[in-house]
Amino acid sequence: MEIEHIKADVLCVGGGIGGLMAAIRASELGAKAVVAEKGNALHSGKGGGGCDHYLSYIPEIHGPDMDAFIEEMLQTQQRHNFEGLGMNRIRVHIAKTFDIVKMWESWGIPMKYRGEYHYAGHAFPGGFRCLMKYEGRNQKPILTKKALEKGVEIVNRVMVFDLVSDGNKVYGAIGLNTRDEKIVVFEAKSVILGTGGISRLYPSPTPGWFNNIATRLSLTGDGRAMAYRAGAELQNMEMRIQHAGPKYYARFGQATWIGVFRDPQDRPIGPFVTKPERLYGDITPEVNKNIFLEYAQAGKGPVYMDGRGMSQEDLDYMMYWLPHEGNTPLIEHMKADGIDYLKHPVEFMTYDQGSGGRIVTNEEGETSINGLYAVGDELANGVSNASVFGWISGENATLYAKGANIPDGKEIQDLIDEKKGLLEKIRGQKNGPDWKEVNVALQQIMSDYSGALRTEALLDTGLFHLKRLKQKALESIIAGNQHELGRSIEVLNMIDIGELVFICSKERKETRGLHIRRDYPLTNPRLNNKVHIIKEVDHRPVTEWRPTQK
Amino acid sequence: MPPIIDEDKCTLCGNCVDICTEDVFFGSKKKQLPRVTYPHECVYCNACVEECPAEGAVRLRLPLPMMLMYKPAPTA
Ligand SMILES: Cc1cc2nc3c(=O)[nH]c(=O)nc-3n(C[C@H](O)[C@H](O)[C@H](O)COP(=O)(O)OP(=O)(O)OC[C@H]3O[C@@H](n4cnc5c(N)ncnc54)[C@H](O)[C@@H]3O)c2cc1C
Ligand code: SF4
Ligand code: SF4
């Protein structure tokens, strides 16, 4: 495989919302910013199909007390989302949101509805509405264009899979071209990871299908896996996350639907709304995402999102926003099947979204390794989080890069040789399992041994078999071309993440949220304000409990 | 879900091939009809449809396991 070298001051791994915002800021401040993107930045990542809610605080709308806004926000799904990140970081985030809103508007992303800032959805009736409705359908093409205008170099179809680091400091990364037989070596003074979430560690609603997911097949936790291998700290890898959406049709956008969640007898399942409310939606699943599963298991389902009784105007409003929220194919399907939402409630279910683990960072976006930053879904979900910390990290990575240099390199050469060897070995393997087979095996181990129920015995057993799977996969996985090679590396990364989920689950000897230890049913109050850290020391995982950042 | 290309409408511009994040059209050749190489990797994000200049040249077929489960309206 041929080797291509690219130099940068700031390398952004992942051209999602976070990576592009970081690159735009870095370039604006004079850095040579390069974005390495696995797909094509124009429509890649979770934001690639559009979004319609922007978490933002505007004093003129919400009042001068930002903490009151934060308190309200933390009663919604943002509570789990920002868990363990510390109040300082939340304040830095929220305080910056209006600036980004105005900036995006000036770049051509419509942030107003009928001429005004408009907040709706994800809200309790009577409380603050914390999420602005915006027309995010074209956000990725607009951000990509802005990045190019500012002089950012975007390298599409390159999957970065390891960092170049001495365990203390990062000075580059290595990737594979997913179309041409090429390895790409980035020599960079600082690196910002923005590779998004983890989409297929656990099974999708359709067994054995990978693409029935609310996000993207190509979001596989690469950032977390490579950060860990480079010695960076990760936190709370054992915590599970779930999402809710239409049954069997995995999609985000629950809060864009207007209606009431009702049981088969038409009784509302939550206490918040009794008729469709355009400004609030039904926030019940944000209080408990598992509620659809609980109803199903108790024989009380199905549960429907029920829009009956809403006005045609409210329906038009909902149908206006769903395409911005990446739901055009769903609307097309409803039309084709004659599903009239004014008459037909639509069943919802709980989806397993995998590990809520994240890369440890501070308010500056720095990880525990010099020169390495992390943004967006590497830390917490949401467009607002990705854009704000993209911006902040871009700034700080640029400052760092000014004083940094790239050592010439024997280490880089050794790493290139090692990784080239691995890639060529996989390309040369014959008659083994393809990535899909390995991925199915991974999902069943994750789901049955580190899924909804966990015990010491299950976790020990699962970890033992996961290690066997890893060994077998390394020795035999096949890839007929560069695309399949990328998919194979993705699944190897997810196996690494899976191992960390097992190790951390074993160490968390309590039940908390969706981490249910049948052998430790108590929630241990001594762990209330602690984060669970894992990092690699001398090629071994080491865990530690640490107070949550202030 | 697998994208379906209408040979008669497609202008062979290659936009869908360039844009698809999942590279469902991997291996397609420039100025030729896009090849749907990995239909089961399509995440029905709609980007190919949106970026296609020839209306109707590419559409998505929703696979049967993903059809919505809705509550039928009571018959009169
Ligand atoms: C349908 C949908 C609707 C949503 N709606 C909302 C909403 O209304 N409001 C809201 O706040 N949030 C919403 N979200 C969530 C939001 O989109 C994400 O939180 C946000 O996009 C995260 O930005 P990011 O940059 O961290 O990750 P992403 O935008 O997911 O980008 C990650 C990027 O990294 C690339 N990548 C991955 N691995 C590699 C690698 N190894 N090498 C190179 N590149 C790599 C990916 O291709 C991708 O481009 C929605 C998500 C979905 C799926
Ligand atoms: S819908 Fe999205 S994933 Fe599917 S082929 Fe089109 S661009 Fe690719
Ligand atoms: S974008 Fe449309 S016209 Fe262009 S190659 Fe694809 S299907 Fe054909």
Side-chain angles (χ1 to χ4, degrees):
Chain A
M1 250 177 255
E2 188 191 318
I3 299 196
E4 182 184 349
H5 287 264
I6 296 179
K7 283 194 194 295
D9 293 325
V10 177
L11 169 68
C12 300
V13 179
I17 290 178
L20 286 175
M21 285 296 281
I24 290 170
R25 186 59 177 150
S27 197
E28 210 172 73
L29 294 173
K32 178 172 189 230
V34 173
V35 171
E37 165 56 46
K38 195 189 256 187
N40 180 330
L42 277 170
H43 283 281
S44 64
K46 265 201 209 168
C51 299
D52 72 338
H53 280 107
Y54 195 100
L55 174 70
S56 49
Y57 164 67
I58 303 185
E60 292 76 48
I61 292 178
H62 298 103
D65 184 357
M66 189 173 82
D67 279 1
F69 173 96
I70 291 175
E71 214 171 286
E72 178 82 21
M73 167 191 101
L74 291 178
Q75 287 183 24
T76 69
Q77 63 180 6
Q78 305 298 347
R79 177 165 56 97
H80 302 293
N81 193 24
F82 294 127
E83 204 145 44
L85 292 176
M87 276 310 280
N88 284 348
R89 193 179 172 287
I90 292 178
R91 288 200 183 94
V92 168
H93 172 183
I94 298 302
K96 183 83 189 157
T97 49
F98 191 27
D99 287 347
I100 305 280
V101 164
K102 287 183 280 191
M103 196 187 297
W104 276 22
E105 213 171 348
S106 72
W107 294 351
I109 302 176
M111 305 300 284
K112 286 184 177 157
Y113 176 65
R114 299 190 170 163
E116 287 183 359
Y117 295 124
H118 168 65
Y119 285 75
H122 294 285
F124 294 97
F128 281 130
R129 282 173 270 135
C130 303
L131 283 119
M132 171 188 285
K133 294 294 265 188
Y134 78 109
E135 299 176 8
R137 191 168 169 169
N138 282 320
Q139 61 189 358
K140 287 297 309 290
I142 291 171
L143 292 176
T144 305
K145 184 165 158 258
K146 186 50 80 182
L148 293 172
E149 265 170 36
K150 295 267 180 188
V152 173
E153 183 184 351
I154 300 179
V155 188
N156 286 322
R157 307 285 170 203
V158 170
M159 174 193 177
V160 172
F161 62 94
D162 256 315
L163 295 165
V164 184
S165 120
D166 59 10
N168 212 348
K169 188 169 135 208
V170 160
Y171 42 90
I174 180 160
L176 70 100
N177 189 304
T178 59
R179 285 199 172 164
D180 306 326
E181 314 243 332
K182 249 196 276 183
I183 291 176
V184 187
V185 177
F186 297 92
E187 292 170 34
K189 293 178 183 162
S190 64
V191 177
I192 300 178
L193 292 172
T195 68
I198 310 175
S199 68
R200 50 193 159 92
L201 189 58
Y202 286 87
S204 82
T206 310
W209 280 33
F210 301 108
N211 53 342
N212 189 2
I213 41 173
T215 65
R216 298 288 164 115
L217 209 69
S218 47
L219 300 175
T220 48
D222 302 337
R224 271 155 268 205
M226 63 183 123
Y228 175 77
R229 291 193 294 260
E233 293 175 349
L234 307 185
Q235 76 182 46
N236 291 358
M237 292 303 289
E238 67 279 24
M239 299 316 278
R240 293 171 59 232
I241 41 172
Q242 289 182 325
H243 201 71
K247 178 141 185 176
Y248 294 151
Y249 191 134
R251 272 303 85 157
F252 280 7
Q254 167 249 310
T256 305
W257 291 75
I258 299 170
V260 181
F261 286 110
R262 294 186 195 273
D263 73 5
Q265 287 73 42
D266 290 344
R267 289 175 300 219
I269 63 161
F272 306 110
V273 286
T274 52
K275 59 180 181 27
E277 297 273 6
R278 171 197 284 222
L279 292 181
Y280 305 105
D282 186 346
I283 199 169
T284 307
E286 293 194 30
V287 179
N288 177 13
K289 297 252 177 186
N290 213 23
I291 195 159
F292 305 109
L293 187 61
E294 288 168 9
Y295 263 69
Q297 286 171 343
K300 297 195 301 179
V303 175
Y304 296 96
M305 183 40 142
D306 187 353
R308 288 174 302 178
M310 77 200 284
S311 63
Q312 181 64 43
E313 209 186 353
D314 280 354
L315 180 69
D316 294 344
Y317 172 90
M318 179 178 128
M319 291 300 175
Y320 175 77
W321 289 109
L322 277 172
H324 286 296
E325 178 65 357
N327 277 283
T328 303
L330 181 135
I331 297 176
E332 296 293 325
H333 167 60
M334 287 174 81
K335 275 194 215 143
D337 273 35
I339 304 174
D340 173 357
Y341 188 58
L342 290 177
K343 294 195 194 121
H344 300 129
V346 172
E347 195 179 339
F348 266 50
M349 73 180 285
T350 305
Y351 319 131
D352 214 323
Q353 287 287 311
S355 164
R358 41 188 63 153
I359 302 175
V360 175
T361 54
N362 60 17
E363 298 103 84
E364 317 264 275
E366 294 166 324
T367 69
S368 57
I369 296 206
N370 292 322
L372 184 65
Y373 297 74
V375 300
D377 282 14
E378 307 274 17
L379 321 163
N381 195 53
V383 178
S384 158
N385 173 67
S387 49
V388 167
F389 284 101
W391 198 253
I392 291 175
S393 301
E395 226 161 73
N396 291 321
T398 303
L399 272 179
Y400 174 89
K402 289 204 167 118
N405 50 32
I406 303 166
D408 356 278
K410 172 152 167 23
E411 283 96 347
I412 298 190
Q413 196 49 51
D414 286 351
L415 187 82
I416 296 172
D417 292 344
E418 184 198 322
K419 297 299 165 189
K420 186 164 179 269
L422 173 72
L423 298 182
E424 287 176 346
K425 174 171 134 45
I426 295 176
R427 283 294 305 271
Q429 282 168 175
K430 296 269 179 300
N431 304 321
D434 64 4
W435 69 267
K436 294 189 214 89
E437 191 176 321
V438 179
N439 207 154
V440 172
L442 168 66
Q443 289 187 339
Q444 70 188 15
I445 292 176
M446 294 308 298
S447 172
D448 287 345
Y449 296 93
S450 189
L453 290 180
R454 296 167 170 174
T455 65
E456 187 92 9
L458 280 173
L459 292 166
D460 281 338
T461 311
L463 183 55
F464 170 74
H465 295 301
L466 188 59
K467 287 188 167 155
R468 281 175 60 217
L469 176 66
K470 182 174 177 174
Q471 198 53 38
K472 284 174 191 281
L474 275 170
E475 283 165 7
S476 60
I477 196 167
I478 57 166
N481 56 41
Q482 290 295 103
H483 173 79
E484 292 173 10
L485 182 60
R487 293 278 186 241
S488 302
I489 299 293
E490 287 174 345
V491 77
L492 291 172
N493 275 342
M494 284 190 292
I495 294 180
D496 280 358
I497 304 262
E499 270 190 80
L500 302 181
V501 171
F502 271 99
I503 295 164
C504 294
S505 298
K506 254 175 71 93
E507 292 299 315
R508 190 183 281 274
K509 296 186 186 348
E510 64 155 357
T511 288
R512 183 176 296 263
L514 297 167
H515 168 75
I516 297 167
R517 284 286 302 252
R518 271 288 149 90
D519 44 356
Y520 293 99
L522 277 183
T523 299
N524 180 355
R526 306 294 288 172
L527 301 179
N528 277 358
N529 292 313
K530 298 256 170 42
V531 288
H532 196 192
I533 305 285
I534 187 159
K535 70 170 169 182
E536 191 175 66
V537 181
D538 297 331
H539 302 289
R540 297 184 70 83
V542 175
T543 61
E544 156 193 349
W545 293 97
R546 190 179 295 163
T548 306
Q549 290 173 40
K550 285 269 183 300
Chain B
M1 158 173 35
I4 297 168
I5 312 268
D6 184 334
E7 240 177 277
D8 296 332
K9 292 185 181 156
C10 175
T11 63
L12 316 182
C13 73
N15 275 6
C16 53
V17 178
D18 276 351
I19 213 94
C20 176
T21 296
E22 303 306 333
D23 226 358
V24 165
F25 307 101
F26 177 87
S28 295
K29 302 247 169 1
K30 276 200 168 42
K31 303 218 172 2
Q32 287 183 19
L33 197 71
R35 203 173 94 191
V36 184
T37 311
Y38 295 112
H40 293 291
E41 295 176 34
C42 170
V43 289
Y44 46 98
C45 73
N46 216 42
C48 53
V49 178
E50 279 178 32
E51 299 287 347
C52 173
E55 171 117 28
V58 54
R59 67 184 174 87
L60 304 177
R61 180 181 76 75
L62 191 81
L64 295 181
M66 291 171 66
M67 64 188 188
L68 284 183
M69 302 285 116
Y70 65 93
K71 188 173 183 172
T75 41

